[in-house]
Amino acid sequence: MRLCSGGIGNRIEFNTILKGSESLKVLVACEESQRVCIEFRKLGNEAYSCDIEPCSGGHPEWHIQNDVLPLLNGNCEFQTADGSVHCIDGKWDMIIAFPPCTYMTNAGAVRMRVKGEIVQERYQKAMEAKVFFMQIMNANCEKIAIENPTPMKLIELPPYTQAVQPYQFGHPYSKRTCLWLKGLPKLEPTEILEHHEPYVNGGCKDSHGNYRKFQGRKERDPKTRAKTFPGIARAMAEQWGN
C-alpha cells in the first residue's frame, strides 16, 4: 500500500495486488480497449491504460483518461477513471503505445496527393502525428514498443523492428501491423493459422471513395479496427511481462 496526495490536498490510499519486487510498472498509451493492460494485470503487473477516450475494457480503476505526454518519463502522479490517485516513482519499466495512425498509414496514401500534389492539410496532420510518435519513442524508458500500420515513406518514420499478423496469434485474419521495439525482443508467433481472410476491406479507398478490394463485405468501424487482437495482447504480456 502507498499513499499519494490527491489533487485537492487529501490523501488517497492506493492498494493493488502485485507479484512483489518483480512487478513491472507498465504504461499502455493510446489504449481505450484495455486489452493489453488487462493481460499485463493478469500476470500481476502494475499496468495502466491511458487514452483521451473512456475505457471500454471494464476497468476504470486501471485507466487514465488524459493526455499521456506528461506521464511518459515517469516520476508522476495521476488519477485513474475511478477517482483514485496513483504515484509512479522513477521511470516506467515499460511503455507500449498505439498512437493514432490515420494520417501516417500507407493505407491513406491515396488521399495524400491530388493530381500529384501533396495535400498540405493532410501532410501537416501527418507531421503532427509523427511528432507525437517520436515523443513516445524518445521517452525516458528502457523498454518501449510502439504499434502502427505500415507508414508512408513520405512520413520518414524510423525503420520498424518487425511486422506481425493476427493469424500468427490464433486469429483467422490478416491485418499487417508494425512494431518499433526498444529494449524488447521481437514478438514470437504463438499459433499460426493457414486459413485466414483480410480483416479490413483492402485497407484504403480509391480517389472516388470506393474500397479497392473486397467490395460488398460489411466494413468494420474504425474503433473496432483499431482494437488490439486478444492473441497479440496476450503474447505481449506473456513474452514481455514475465
Side-chain angles (χ1 to χ4, degrees):
M1 180 179 295
R2 297 169 56 194
L3 293 175
C4 297
S5 59
I8 56 175
N10 60 319
R11 298 181 69 81
I12 301 175
E13 292 186 347
F14 168 46
N15 193 11
T16 186
I17 299 175
L18 301 174
K19 58 181 181 181
S21 59
E22 296 181 358
S23 172
L24 300 176
K25 296 175 292 185
V26 183
L27 175 64
V28 188
C30 313
E31 186 192 47
E32 60 79 27
S33 72
Q34 297 192 293
R35 285 181 175 174
V36 174
C37 174
I38 289 171
E39 292 298 332
F40 272 86
R41 282 279 177 171
K42 286 179 180 178
L43 297 179
N45 294 297
E46 186 180 354
Y48 299 94
S49 57
C50 182
D51 199 282
I52 58 175
E53 297 288 336
C55 64
S56 62
H59 289 279
E61 71 276 17
W62 301 337
H63 187 65
I64 308 163
Q65 189 178 341
N66 215 324
D67 180 9
V68 74
L69 291 180
L71 308 178
L72 289 177
N73 294 321
N75 289 308
C76 54
E77 180 178 300
F78 54 86
Q79 181 173 308
T80 44
D82 68 337
S84 299
V85 175
H86 310 267
C87 296
I88 294 295
D89 297 324
K91 299 184 292 186
W92 294 96
D93 293 307
M94 190 184 308
I95 296 174
I96 301 174
F98 304 86
C101 64
T102 302
Y103 297 101
M104 297 195 297
T105 174
N106 194 52
V110 69
R111 304 180 188 88
M112 184 60 78
R113 296 179 186 270
V114 174
K115 297 181 179 179
E117 297 294 327
I118 292 177
V119 179
Q120 289 301 319
E121 182 180 359
R122 289 191 68 88
Y123 181 75
Q124 181 59 38
K125 290 181 178 179
M127 290 299 100
E128 292 171 0
K130 178 183 178 180
V131 168
F132 182 65
F133 182 105
M134 294 306 300
Q135 285 177 303
I136 298 172
M137 176 165 278
N138 294 326
N140 185 21
C141 179
E142 295 179 1
K143 297 180 179 181
I144 297 175
I146 303 179
E147 183 271 354
N148 245 217
T150 305
M152 285 182 278
K153 292 182 179 180
L154 177 69
I155 308 304
E156 296 185 325
L157 285 180
Y160 54 83
T161 309
Q162 72 173 128
V164 297
Q165 292 275 8
Y167 62 74
Q168 296 174 311
F169 300 88
H171 300 281
Y173 301 108
S174 60
K175 182 177 179 288
R176 189 176 189 269
T177 189
C178 303
L179 297 175
W180 286 256
L181 304 177
K182 170 187 171 184
L184 290 168
K186 290 183 179 180
L187 209 58
E188 296 292 334
T190 56
E191 183 184 357
I192 299 177
L193 302 182
E194 293 185 5
H195 302 289
H196 48 81
E197 64 179 25
Y199 191 66
V200 296
N201 288 344
C204 62
K205 300 177 181 179
D206 60 24
S207 58
H208 301 291
N210 300 313
Y211 288 107
R212 288 181 168 181
K213 301 178 182 178
F214 318 114
Q215 294 189 35
R217 192 182 72 185
K218 185 177 180 181
E219 174 70 352
R220 295 177 173 87
D221 66 88
K223 196 168 186 177
T224 298
R225 297 200 305 266
K227 293 181 186 294
T228 305
F229 284 89
I232 295 178
R234 190 176 309 113
M236 288 178 171
E238 292 178 351
Q239 295 179 33
W240 297 339
N242 270 325

